[in-house]
Amino acid sequence: MTVDYLIVGQGIAGSILSYELLKKNNKIFLIDNYYPNSSSRVAAGLFNPVTGRRMVHTWMANELFSLAHSYYPALEAELGVKFFYPLPLHYLFSSVKESNDLFAKFGDMEFADWINPNPIENNLSDVQAPLGFLELKQAGWCHVGNMLEAFKNYFETNQCYLQEEFNYDMLRQTSVGWEYGRVKATAVIFCEGARATANPWFGHLPFKPVKGEIITFRSDKLSLASIVKQHYWIIPQGNRIFKCGATFDFNRIDETPTTQAMNELETWLTKTVKVPFKVINHQAAIRPAVLDRRPLLGEHTACKNLFIFNGFGSKGVSLAPYLTGHFIDYLSHKSPLLPEVNHLRFQPGK
Ligand SMILES: Cc1cc2nc3c(=O)[nH]c(=O)nc-3n(C[C@H](O)[C@H](O)[C@H](O)COP(=O)(O)OP(=O)(O)OC[C@H]3O[C@@H](n4cnc5c(N)ncnc54)[C@H](O)[C@@H]3O)c2cc1C
């Protein structure tokens, strides 16, 4: 089989990239090990333009969010599956000082696109919010697991998907490109998420994987029509099911759920939610984060037509549509990559 691109990894990065390359009439072949604890399969899929302890709008928020809000609904229609849920996000103040500071900051016109100055309805009667809240616009969540299953079906139907572990030792460079078993490809693109640290060509890049844990709970009494965020977040999933997370552990990089994270999340939930709930699931996975918290894109410095598309950290949902378009322009038209995402920023002398 001869293709333009052999792609390794069917997380959110590899899926959207493969799909968009196919739509542009490229031949692709995608290999993924269907690992149940991949970052994309565990992720809660939250997207939120104003984040962090200092509540600043995220990197390239205008470009990322305007595209995401049109891209995902169109993708749902194309794949015939529902997975994108825009919802207001209510940020609960933790102190009077924080409330004063944030109201002063968000009075600024710069934030008019992100903050609703007059929240229409207060749906927070089941949640402790004694100091008030801010309502953020353009937020929501994406059921990434459902989206990936729809993509997998699509790739299988188009006979361009193989479920297996990619063996780096089998990849051979030829005079015209690359060969992997019976697949001959002009180029190879690696999208292995946090597993990229084992990649012989790109594993040296400064990944800084971060473990995250989330819990799923059921509450028959909790009525919530928005995402709630303070130290952690609660996302309503429908059918009385909610997700709560996520922890950040920079030291213990494995996929084992811990009692410590469970206690942290349950303690916060008990303080925040006024009604009974029951935890029904607890998961852990590793975010493919990078030292400077920006993605890693581009071609290998010594091996032609060997590419990386990775480093989406904790923001895969908001980054993937925009960076896919940006990367395809780079692959197809040699448009320059943004310096902040080009992996060459870590090359000495660059
Ligand atoms: C607990 C937690 C919560 C999160 N919450 C959010 C959130 O709310 N919002 C958000 O936007 N992001 C969130 N994230 C981050 C998000 O999951 C990532 O940004 C995104 O999923 C990364 O996608 P990816 O495709 O680069 O990597 P991955 O999802 O890891 O996909 C890589 C794929 O490649 C496969 N693979 C790797 N090596 C091989 C190999 N050798 N052979 C075959 N297959 C291979 C893997 O198994 C996997 O299927 C969260 C992450 C965690 C851990």
Side-chain angles (χ1 to χ4, degrees), residues 44-55:
L46 176 67
F47 51 92
N48 169 21
V50 183
T51 58
R53 284 213 191 100
R54 289 182 300 119
M55 295 287 280

Side-chain angles (χ1 to χ4, degrees), residues 8-15 31-35 38-47 144 148 164-168 191-196 210-214 233 235 246-247 283-288 309-318:
V8 182
Q10 196 235 320
I12 192 167
S15 292
I31 298 180
D32 183 84
N33 54 15
Y34 201 54
Y35 186 56
S38 75
S39 191
S40 297
R41 292 202 173 85
V42 171
L46 176 67
F47 51 92
V144 183
L148 294 192
E164 75 170 27
E165 182 71 20
F166 182 85
N167 179 350
Y168 299 106
C191 312
E192 313 109 304
R195 291 273 310 277
V210 185
K211 178 175 181 176
E213 299 187 45
I214 59 178
W233 39 251
I235 305 177
T247 59
Q283 291 167 289
I286 303 171
R287 301 173 181 90
F309 188 64
N310 204 327
F312 289 21
S314 57
K315 299 201 166 66
V317 171
S318 50

Side-chain angles (χ1 to χ4, degrees), residues 217-249:
F217 66 94
R218 183 185 169 92
S219 174
D220 293 334
K221 295 268 162 55
L222 179 56
S223 164
L224 197 59
S226 62
I227 295 165
V228 163
K229 177 147 181 6
Q230 195 188 44
H231 193 55
Y232 297 111
W233 39 251
I234 303 169
I235 305 177
Q237 311 269 294
N239 295 326
R240 306 273 169 210
I241 304 295
F242 302 82
K243 290 212 170 181
C244 172
T247 59
F248 283 77
D249 186 338

Side-chain angles (χ1 to χ4, degrees), residues 62-77:
N62 283 319
E63 293 84 349
L64 300 182
F65 282 79
S66 61
L67 180 61
H69 279 278
S70 59
Y71 182 83
Y72 287 112
L75 185 61
E76 286 182 321

